[in-house]
Amino acid sequence: MTVTVERGVTSKQPHAGHPRRPRDSYALFLLPGVLAFLVVIIVPFLMNTGVSFTDWQGVGSPEWSGLANYRELLDDSEFWASFRHSLFMVVAMAAVPTAVGLVLAAALFDYVGKHFGSKTVAVLRACFYLPQVLPIAVAGIVWSWILAPDNGSLNELLKAIGLSSWQQDWLGDPDIALYSVMGVMVWVQLGFPLVIFMAGLQRVDPQLHEAAELDGAGWWRRFWHITLPQIRPEIYVVLTWCTIAALKVFGAVYVLTKGGPGGATNVPSYFSFTTFFEKTQVGYGAAISTVLTVMILLLSLIGLKLQTRAEEREGS
Amino acid sequence: MTSALRRYPVLIALCIAALFMIVPFLIVTLNAFKSPAEYSQNGPLSLPDGLYLDGLKDFWERVDYTQKLVNSLLISGGVAIFAVILSILNAYAIGIGRIKGRTWVLAFFVLANMLPQEALVYPIYYLSKEAGLYDTRLSVIIVFTVIQAAFGTYLLSSVLGQFPREIIEAARIDGANKWQILWRIVVPVSRPTIGVLLVFFFIWTWNEFLLPLVMLISNDNQTVSVALGVLQGQRLMDATMTNAAALLGVLPALVFFLVFQRTLTRGIAVGAVK
């Protein structure tokens, strides 16, 4: 991301001949931003990290306990379960939407766009994107009602088509709840990759496809060998963003299941929230969120690296 | 010939998939207009007998939805405006001013944007209590202004980095100072990007849940998202109430979507791949 900016900057450097106007007086414009950042983000972040080394309960003065919280985390099965559920969320919010979004975007672009016009494409794209503009709390309300055990739409639907035996307590059964939440998250997330990929596809030179088609390559082959490599930067962006979003998922879990039943859908974000505000073990909650932060920053760096490399390869 | 045979099944498959995406919206709308008796008798899949509006009305009054809408509008609108101003100032220094160490400054903002709110939430809760700002809409406006401005800084800096230098040079020769150049030239020329940012900040803030949930506990300050989420979490609502809540939560989002559809889809592509 930074690289794009740098490129723009360095390519237009020659106007340096203004000795009377020192460039750095622009730094004044940065002052409000940097101050606000220190107060709202940097200081709280450092406080949180600091508190994670204490056994603070939210009142009184925190007492230093070194790595005790982190050691406790290692033995905490609830903590490990929450991170295991995070992996499921990565599948539901990053892997599946990216894969399905790619196929949908390419199909919309190759078939619908070419033969049925851009209006049709816009309508279909809007349908897929719609859940993305919904507040996650509202999406949670909608789905918890659809998935309700008695009188829920899904169970009623199953009954109506004669599949009563498939009826479930979708969010209340510990064996199914996590998969139900995953299903909801796929629905929520799908529109994001779709829109990004459709924008990316417009960059791909149509002649590549035409040449391949003349050579007798079918749709899947062209998809695999032309479309995919061409929009690799977009794929990395989407995977990075969605994986981070998956690690942070909170609202959906809060509204759909409150982490239950019996911790079956607990995730680190919700786990740290309850540890902070319900158990008031602030030090321990801070340790959980610090681990989460480290993971997210690492992932961001990896994503950024991959993206930069893909862009460079594409540029050369 | 073969491609003609192949493209209709593709279209039909896509339409079915799209229908599946909007079915939840359709059944919510369908059921929001049913009376409780009708709902329990015919279930969620039947068509409503008539327009029963009391469910919506009851829910509206019960949660004082007008107040929630005002709160959400105030908070999201405030954040959108302040965050855009902050982003413009930052990006002006980085993109146009090309201050020393701008790469690092930009990295600082980007990194701050990636920090999960979970790692800020307790200190923000604690500090706002100390500052007497806890449970005020102002506290949420301040926090989200900064969080959104991180993204805005990043996006606008890259746009302003490619701003035509000639225009700025010409204005400088005409005697304009930096402040004038910013507001009379840079901002008007960058209006499309700024518009995208305004829409994004507004909708993102509208949809936020964790921080408003923690910060806004009194009924009079809660946003739409928080009020609905908390009610649902407490499981106090019957099926008809839930439906009314869902529809009233969906409606503003739908309105934004219809109004801003083009900005949104354009912006999301610009934002992610820049």
Side-chain angles (χ1 to χ4, degrees):
Chain A
M1 308 202 249
T2 8
V3 176
T4 325
V5 181
E6 270 302 283
R7 218 187 277 150
V9 169
T10 42
S11 63
K12 292 176 187 168
Q13 200 61 294
H15 300 274
H18 290 278
R20 285 180 300 111
R21 296 172 185 275
R23 275 215 247 142
D24 280 10
S25 63
Y26 277 99
L28 271 182
F29 288 91
L30 214 53
L31 205 59
V34 171
L35 280 179
F37 257 77
L38 283 176
V39 175
V40 175
I41 293 184
I42 303 303
V43 167
F45 174 66
L46 294 178
M47 277 174 75
N48 189 71
T49 315
V51 167
S52 75
F53 298 107
T54 70
D55 59 0
W56 200 35
Q57 309 280 313
V59 284
S61 51
E63 216 158 290
W64 187 262
S65 64
L67 290 171
N69 285 329
Y70 292 93
R71 241 176 267 129
E72 202 181 325
L73 274 183
L74 286 178
D75 289 330
D76 188 344
S77 61
E78 219 180 327
F79 171 77
W80 288 107
S82 77
F83 266 99
R84 210 164 40 241
H85 300 152
S86 263
L87 291 180
F88 283 85
M89 288 301 156
V90 170
V91 172
M93 290 176 70
V96 174
T98 303
V100 177
L102 265 172
V103 174
L104 284 176
L108 272 173
F109 195 82
D110 289 344
Y111 286 107
V112 183
K114 280 183 193 133
H115 304 292
F116 302 96
S118 57
K119 271 255 164 60
T120 321
V121 173
V123 170
L124 286 171
R125 188 183 56 189
C127 291
F128 287 106
Y129 190 65
L130 203 52
Q132 275 278 301
V133 288
L134 213 57
I136 189 70
V138 174
I141 293 174
V142 171
W143 279 99
S144 64
W145 168 73
I146 291 175
L147 299 175
D150 317 309
N151 246 344
S153 305
L154 181 57
N155 279 347
E156 289 288 317
L157 182 75
L158 289 172
K159 195 166 84 185
I161 56 175
L163 292 170
S164 296
S165 58
W166 288 19
Q167 290 184 352
Q168 302 285 352
D169 184 0
W170 298 101
L171 295 168
D173 183 337
D175 293 332
I176 312 177
L178 185 61
Y179 298 105
S180 301
V181 175
M182 285 172 74
V184 174
M185 295 324 288
V186 171
W187 179 82
V188 166
Q189 200 72 3
L190 188 59
F192 177 70
L194 181 80
V195 169
I196 306 251
F197 291 149
M198 291 205 66
L201 283 171
Q202 286 170 348
R203 244 191 20 224
V204 180
D205 185 357
Q207 287 186 333
L208 283 175
H209 275 279
E210 282 158 24
E213 208 167 357
L214 282 180
D215 289 343
W219 188 79
W220 274 109
R221 281 189 65 140
R222 278 179 285 134
F223 175 75
W224 198 254
H225 292 290
I226 299 171
T227 309
L228 273 189
Q230 290 281 321
I231 62 169
R232 198 174 286 154
E234 278 85 357
I235 295 177
Y236 288 133
V237 172
V238 164
L239 278 175
T240 311
W241 274 97
C242 292
T243 307
I244 292 173
L247 290 177
K248 293 201 278 196
V249 63
F250 172 81
V253 169
Y254 181 93
V255 176
L256 284 172
T257 60
K258 292 221 140 190
T265 57
N266 203 5
V267 288
S269 177
Y270 188 77
F271 188 30
S272 74
F273 172 82
T274 49
T275 312
F276 279 137
F277 297 103
E278 283 168 22
K279 300 181 202 148
T280 57
Q281 297 176 344
V282 180
Y284 199 55
I288 301 169
S289 58
T290 305
V291 173
L292 187 62
T293 307
V294 170
M295 287 184 57
I296 287 174
L297 287 184
L298 275 178
L299 262 167
S300 314
L301 286 177
I302 294 170
L304 214 66
K305 258 256 141 58
L306 286 172
Q307 187 199 343
T308 315
R309 223 193 295 155
E311 267 167 17
E312 270 166 9
R313 207 178 316 158
E314 196 206 358
S316 61
Chain B
M1 217 358 234
T2 42
S3 88
L5 280 176
R6 224 184 299 149
R7 68 201 188 205
Y8 277 98
V10 171
L11 181 72
I12 291 165
L14 282 169
C15 285
I16 292 170
L19 191 69
F20 176 73
M21 295 298 282
I22 57 169
V23 152
F25 295 98
L26 298 180
I27 45 176
V28 160
T29 315
L30 205 66
N31 285 283
F33 299 106
K34 284 181 193 167
S35 71
E38 195 188 338
Y39 181 87
S40 58
Q41 203 182 355
N42 298 336
L45 300 177
S46 67
L47 286 170
D49 289 338
L51 272 189
Y52 175 84
L53 296 172
D54 286 1
L56 286 170
K57 215 179 95 207
D58 288 348
F59 181 78
W60 191 295
E61 281 161 8
R62 184 172 146 192
V63 301
D64 194 1
Y65 198 68
T66 317
Q67 181 67 44
K68 308 294 186 273
L69 280 175
V70 169
N71 292 337
S72 274
L73 279 171
L74 212 65
I75 291 173
S76 308
V79 168
I81 292 166
F82 295 134
V84 159
I85 294 175
L86 206 57
S87 311
I88 290 172
L89 292 176
N90 289 340
Y92 188 50
I94 297 171
I96 303 254
R98 293 167 188 177
I99 49 157
K100 268 191 211 129
R102 57 183 175 273
T103 316
W104 291 106
V105 177
L106 201 61
F108 167 77
F109 283 114
V110 170
L111 229 77
N113 191 33
M114 300 225 166
L115 289 180
Q117 287 174 16
E118 289 79 3
L120 309 173
V121 66
Y122 201 89
I124 286 178
Y125 162 82
Y126 181 82
L127 289 173
S128 69
K129 271 192 162 168
E130 297 284 294
L133 285 172
Y134 179 59
D135 197 19
T136 62
R137 289 166 293 192
L138 181 64
S139 64
V140 178
I141 294 179
I142 295 174
V143 171
F144 281 119
T145 293
V146 178
I147 291 178
Q148 313 288 32
F151 177 81
T153 300
Y154 155 63
L155 184 68
L156 260 185
S157 299
S158 95
V159 171
L160 294 188
Q162 299 173 23
F163 197 89
R165 306 299 290 180
E166 304 75 31
I167 305 180
I168 293 171
E169 291 300 322
R172 209 175 265 167
I173 291 163
D174 289 344
N177 63 31
K178 289 198 187 75
W179 190 249
Q180 291 165 328
I181 291 177
L182 173 59
W183 295 110
R184 298 215 186 128
I185 294 164
V186 175
V187 168
V189 172
S190 321
R191 213 183 292 138
T193 317
I194 290 173
V196 169
L197 285 181
L198 273 172
V199 172
F200 265 55
F201 292 167
F202 185 89
I203 292 180
W204 286 345
T205 311
W206 187 284
N207 293 352
E208 279 291 345
F209 190 66
L210 171 63
L211 271 169
L213 175 74
V214 170
M215 300 295 287
L216 304 172
I217 45 155
S218 70
N219 246 323
D220 289 342
N221 292 331
Q222 276 174 355
T223 60
V224 170
S225 279
V226 173
L228 299 185
V230 169
L231 268 181
Q232 174 69 19
Q234 289 165 344
R235 310 238 175 267
L236 290 175
M237 294 192 288
D238 55 40
T240 12
M241 272 293 185
T242 308
N243 249 295
L247 185 67
L248 289 178
V250 168
L251 276 182
L254 223 53
V255 171
F256 300 149
F257 183 65
L258 292 175
V259 175
F260 297 126
Q261 222 233 97
R262 291 181 63 193
T263 325
L264 275 172
T265 39
R266 179 158 33 101
I268 200 174
V270 175
V273 190
K274 252 292 158 189

